[in-house]
Amino acid sequence: MEKRTFIKFTLAAAACAALGTAYAADPIRIGAVLSVTGPAAYLGDPELKTLQMYVETLNKNGGVLGRPLELVHYDDGSESGKANGFAKRLIENDKVDLIIGGTTSGATMAIAPLVDRAQVPFISLAGAVVIVEPTKKWMFKTPHTDRMAAERVFDDMKKAGLTKVALLSENSGFGQSGRKEAQAVAGKYGITLVADETYGPKDTDMTAQLTKIKGAPGVQAVFVFGLGQGPAVVTKNFAQLGIKLPLYQSHGVASGEYIRLAGPAAEGVRLPSPALPIAAKLPATDPQKKVVSDYAKSFSERWKSEPSTFGGYAYDGLMLAADAIRRAGSTDKAKVRDALEATTNFVATSGAFNMSASDHMGLSLSAFRMLEIRNGDWTLLN
């Protein structure tokens, strides 16, 4: 059964009235399609909680342009095929002003033709480079791309003298795109892919693929591209098979949930990540220190759980939207789109966003931090 949940305008208004803020204007309607349940739930759940929390926060502080925000969201159950229908409902029935979501790359691309046709600004929370390359007029995104993840990992491998690498990727959405991008940039870093295996998003055992990788001639390291529970299964199988090679993951697992699911097997795993997981370890001079620390504190206090980079992507999306609406001076969709495209040095949890007509993500490779899991926690490498 579909899940449709509203943060009611009446509730938002009541909360604001209690704080001495009265709204006379209609609400700004923010639509969202997220994977709150299913295999990608540990991405979508913190995304939804983040949107709920910060819609409330913005409303308590006067809303945007003196108008309250109203969040209308649907759960696609981690099934990309459902995302299109929910987005259609947001546009045609709910009359939203802007959409944030597409937890996965598959869901995002299912929504893409609808927002383009309806000319509704859409901020994706997914990683595939195809979301923003080629540039699509009405689509933007907050996470770093899979290409950037591959480049950051290969650069680390190159520094360590690792040149023969086995690639293991999920065969849909994010993993499929990541595989393509890894293949494309490997040569740039002197990397040869000596094995190339895939797994399904619902697979519960990857020992067959890892056994092949273990036997690949000259293999020096393994790079896994996926999200959800799959990468954790790979990590546990990797340890069970006694493979002693360096294991790298993508930013698709930059969450404490991955460490919990993989357990001790995650020890020593390296991956590129936004700054959020190591918020407390950033120097005071880091420009992201306050943003990520404040977000981590607020999320932990509100939900009594550890924040994740995926919730951070939703925070970035909502704050970019609010900033664009303020600068546009209205919710006129074309003006908001233009304002998003003109975003400059907007510091958020993923990095500093600098967008343009040719770049609807606006993050540089330097926004990625290289982390290693040590003693069950994140360690900043450089």
Side-chain angles (χ1 to χ4, degrees):
M1 181 178 292
E2 72 188 41
K3 296 186 178 181
R4 182 184 186 186
T5 309
F6 295 88
I7 294 181
K8 290 289 189 182
F9 167 56
T10 52
L11 295 177
C16 294
L19 292 169
T21 303
Y23 289 117
D26 290 335
I28 297 170
R29 309 198 84 195
I30 304 294
V33 180
L34 304 168
S35 301
V36 182
T37 60
Y42 87 70
L43 289 70
D45 178 70
E47 290 171 351
L48 175 58
K49 288 175 177 174
T50 296
L51 292 178
Q52 290 174 326
M53 179 172 68
Y54 280 96
V55 162
E56 292 174 3
T57 299
L58 287 168
N59 284 340
K60 288 176 182 176
N61 289 304
V64 178
L65 300 180
R67 296 168 60 187
L69 301 183
E70 180 180 344
L71 178 65
V72 186
H73 68 86
Y74 295 99
D75 173 17
D76 63 26
S78 300
E79 296 183 32
S80 300
K82 293 182 178 179
N84 180 282
F86 287 137
K88 187 170 190 244
R89 191 174 303 178
L90 286 172
I91 294 167
E92 296 180 359
N93 297 350
D94 301 316
K95 307 296 183 183
V96 298
D97 296 296
L98 180 144
I99 296 176
I100 298 171
T103 294
T104 65
S105 298
T108 292
M109 297 314 292
I111 294 170
L114 293 176
V115 297
D116 184 64
R117 187 161 57 247
Q119 299 186 350
V120 175
F122 175 36
I123 303 175
S124 171
L125 309 181
V129 71
V130 69
I131 296 167
V132 289
E133 290 186 22
T135 305
K136 299 163 187 64
K137 184 173 181 178
W138 295 91
M139 285 179 62
F140 301 81
K141 74 190 292 294
T142 58
H144 313 73
T145 67
D146 42 17
R147 180 187 300 155
M148 292 169 70
E151 291 197 285
R152 197 71 175 87
V153 165
F154 288 152
D155 180 64
D156 192 75
M157 289 179 174
K158 181 180 179 180
K159 290 175 181 175
L162 305 171
T163 60
K164 295 184 178 180
V165 177
L167 182 63
L168 176 57
S169 50
E170 182 182 311
N171 62 10
S172 64
F174 176 71
Q176 191 174 45
S177 178
R179 174 175 177 260
K180 178 182 175 183
E181 297 305 320
Q183 291 171 334
V185 302
K188 176 181 175 181
Y189 294 88
I191 301 290
T192 300
L193 298 178
V194 297
D196 184 3
E197 299 290 331
T198 62
Y199 66 88
K202 296 183 179 180
D203 289 356
T204 57
D205 187 279
M206 286 74 156
T207 54
Q209 295 95 321
L210 288 169
T211 298
K212 290 181 182 178
I213 286 173
K214 186 177 181 180
V219 62
Q220 296 173 305
V222 179
F223 181 21
V224 182
F225 232 120
L227 47 75
Q229 299 178 16
V233 174
V234 171
T235 304
K236 289 192 286 188
N237 290 163
F238 191 88
Q240 290 162 355
L241 289 170
I243 302 175
K244 302 301 182 183
L245 301 171
L247 178 60
Y248 287 79
Q249 296 275 356
S250 74
H251 60 313
V253 305
S255 163
E257 184 70 3
Y258 165 72
I259 297 178
R260 187 188 71 77
L261 290 172
E267 194 70 12
V269 170
R270 289 190 172 195
L271 65 148
S273 170
L276 186 57
I278 39 90
K281 300 175 182 178
L282 293 174
T285 54
D286 192 297
Q288 284 185 267
K289 176 74 172 182
K290 179 172 172 51
V291 174
V292 295
S293 296
D294 287 353
Y295 171 78
K297 182 175 183 292
S298 297
F299 188 95
S300 298
E301 289 179 351
R302 170 66 186 275
W303 302 107
K304 310 304 179 188
S305 60
E306 183 182 350
S308 78
T309 57
F310 307 107
Y313 298 148
Y315 169 90
D316 294 353
L318 181 62
M319 293 306 168
L320 282 165
D323 177 67
I325 291 169
R326 289 189 191 101
R327 287 186 288 111
S330 76
T331 53
D332 179 272
K333 294 178 177 62
K335 291 180 180 179
V336 172
R337 190 220 74 88
D338 290 349
L340 279 169
E341 192 174 84
T343 298
T344 303
N345 197 32
F346 189 91
V347 179
T349 72
S350 297
F353 288 89
N354 289 284
M355 298 189 187
S356 68
S358 60
D359 185 355
H360 279 194
M361 174 187 62
L363 295 171
S364 69
L365 195 59
S366 63
F368 256 146
R369 318 296 174 110
M370 203 68 197
L371 308 184
E372 183 176 304
I373 299 171
R374 296 178 186 169
N375 300 315
D377 196 10
W378 307 108
T379 299
L380 178 63
L381 294 177
N382 50 49

